[in-house]
Amino acid sequence: MLNFDYYNPTRISFGKGKISELDKLVPQGAKVLVLFGGSSAQKTGTLDEVKQALGQRELVEFGGIEPNPTYETLMQAVEVVKAEKIDFLLAVGGGSVIDGTKFVAAAAVFEGEPWDILLNWGANVTQAMPFGTVLTLPATGSEMNNASVVTRKSIKAKLPFRNDHVYPQFSVLDPTKTYTLPERQVANGVVDAFVHITEQYLTYPVNAAVQDRIAEGLLQTLIELGPQVLVNPDDYDIRANLMWVATTALNGTIGSGVPHDWATHMIGHELTALYNMDHARTLAVILPSLLTLTKDAKREKLLQFAHRVWHLQQGSDDEKIELAITKTREFFEAMGIPTRLSDYDLGKQDVDAVIAQLEAHGMVALGEHENIDLAMSRDILTLAL
């Protein structure tokens, strides 16, 4: 196992009716900016429930944070923070709203051009505003980690940053708030969580037995419950387990002491920035092709994946690896998510555009071995056509 430091200060308040605990979680004298996405938080009553729980605190609302939150919109929120003298942020929504709130928390007190936060992967963040979250869409795990991804529309760039100052102070997770989600978003969340896990698990072995077994259990839970939630959308236990899987997938537990990949995400980010593809759908397109082309380097963990997650015992090692990759693709498809670029009307010319963006953003040595260069990224995208 690799050396590691594990730190996670986020308090989780999980279960039915937990939004009422905001009164205890948010400082009494705080002036709160409530950030949210579209109209769903208002239509479902979640926003009203949040405001009621906050009691007599002075509130300002900021809506319109997009899926794949944009720098342009978030900078408007920064201006509101400064003009209204806000001292606490509350994100109400899914990963995009929470990612956006993390950027606002850092940018509002950043000395200099806030875009530099993204250009430096967050290494230059020395402070951030306090904030909490009310999760309505389980997928990204942003509610319990220190990472964020922001898109700048004007230059078609989607860049991540990470810094310990942007851990949420708390996150409220009420599975009943996911009942009204569209099926597309539910499916996206399952696939997003699945790929988050594989990015930390399908690398090379370092004898991290605890992390491996937890990762495998999370993957099996997604495989079992993912299709079920599409058939039984009002089953509380299914919703609760999927919500906690998505959080646990990226809260640092399974990623400590092990190598990470993240090439699927970096390539997928460019597809989103260029073509506005759903984040999870870019992952579903890229991962099977990436695993196929890196199966020699990932051989030991892919075999472990085949044996322990997909329970494959028959055939040669090569056959089991191939079948495990096939089953992964079939799982994504069973969730209603197409796994070929052609399914999204993208072709060879679009591969060229993605490669140009990867080069422009310095994504030229990806993966746990940093051996996925532009040529291999091109091969991955071509195989995914």
Side-chain angles (χ1 to χ4, degrees), residues 96 100 110 120 138 150 164 218 226-227 264 323 328-329:
S96 292
F110 186 73
N120 288 277
V150 174
D164 282 355
L218 295 175
T264 296
L323 186 53
T328 300
R329 184 187 295 278

Side-chain angles (χ1 to χ4, degrees), residues 144-280:
M144 199 179 177
N145 66 39
N146 65 347
S148 170
V149 183
V150 174
T151 299
R152 192 165 187 174
K153 292 189 296 185
S154 60
I155 57 174
K156 295 187 182 298
K158 182 176 180 179
L159 300 177
F161 82 96
R162 179 184 297 271
N163 189 280
D164 282 355
H165 290 289
V166 296
Y167 274 106
Q169 288 191 347
F170 64 83
S171 288
V172 177
L173 279 61
D174 182 344
T176 66
K177 300 304 171 187
T178 70
Y179 286 172
T180 57
L181 289 172
E183 184 175 292
R184 180 189 185 99
Q185 290 184 333
V186 174
N188 282 352
V190 169
V191 170
D192 199 1
F194 190 98
V195 181
H196 285 160
I197 298 164
T198 63
E199 296 275 35
Q200 302 163 88
Y201 171 71
L202 287 178
T203 56
Y204 56 88
V206 293
N207 198 19
V210 173
Q211 295 90 319
D212 278 1
R213 289 295 190 183
I214 295 174
E216 290 154 2
L218 295 175
L219 290 170
Q220 289 173 321
T221 302
L222 290 170
I223 291 167
E224 176 186 351
L225 297 184
Q228 289 185 33
V229 76
L230 301 181
V231 179
N232 302 295
D234 295 333
D235 187 304
Y236 179 83
D237 289 328
I238 293 175
R239 293 283 189 170
N241 278 288
L242 289 177
M243 180 173 260
W244 189 232
V245 168
T247 299
T248 308
L250 207 55
N251 68 359
T253 304
I254 66 170
S256 297
V258 299
H260 292 204
D261 185 343
W262 299 111
T264 296
H265 272 71
M266 296 304 101
I267 299 171
H269 286 170
E270 304 298 355
L271 286 167
T272 296
L274 285 170
Y275 306 112
N276 201 33
M277 284 177 63
D278 294 0
H279 170 63

Side-chain angles (χ1 to χ4, degrees), residues 7-182:
Y7 170 74
N8 196 316
T10 302
R11 177 189 295 274
I12 297 295
S13 183
F14 189 103
K16 297 177 183 177
K18 284 290 191 173
I19 288 178
S20 64
E21 296 195 0
L22 285 173
D23 188 47
K24 301 175 184 177
L25 296 169
V26 177
Q28 286 295 328
K31 185 173 183 180
V32 182
L33 179 65
V34 179
L35 302 99
F36 55 97
S39 60
S40 61
Q42 296 167 310
K43 290 179 179 178
T44 60
T46 300
L47 195 59
D48 286 340
E49 191 175 348
V50 166
K51 290 191 287 187
Q52 182 177 358
L54 290 172
Q56 298 304 308
R57 293 172 183 81
E58 190 173 354
L59 304 180
V60 178
E61 297 179 22
F62 184 90
I65 296 178
E66 311 92 337
N68 305 302
T70 66
Y71 176 79
E72 291 82 358
T73 297
L74 299 176
M75 287 305 297
Q76 294 176 30
V78 170
E79 292 305 313
V80 172
V81 168
K82 294 178 178 179
E84 297 287 343
K85 295 181 170 55
I86 300 295
D87 48 32
F88 195 91
L89 307 177
L90 183 63
V92 180
S96 292
V97 174
I98 298 171
D99 276 15
T101 300
K102 289 176 179 178
F103 179 76
V104 172
V109 293
F110 186 73
E111 296 182 4
E113 166 53 52
W115 183 245
D116 289 342
I117 294 172
L118 282 305
L119 295 179
N120 288 277
W121 295 65
N124 51 354
V125 172
T126 59
Q127 59 181 327
M129 294 181 63
F131 71 98
T133 89
V134 176
L135 182 68
T136 61
L137 171 56
T140 71
S142 189
E143 65 277 3
M144 199 179 177
N145 66 39
N146 65 347
S148 170
V149 183
V150 174
T151 299
R152 192 165 187 174
K153 292 189 296 185
S154 60
I155 57 174
K156 295 187 182 298
K158 182 176 180 179
L159 300 177
F161 82 96
R162 179 184 297 271
N163 189 280
D164 282 355
H165 290 289
V166 296
Y167 274 106
Q169 288 191 347
F170 64 83
S171 288
V172 177
L173 279 61
D174 182 344
T176 66
K177 300 304 171 187
T178 70
Y179 286 172
T180 57
L181 289 172

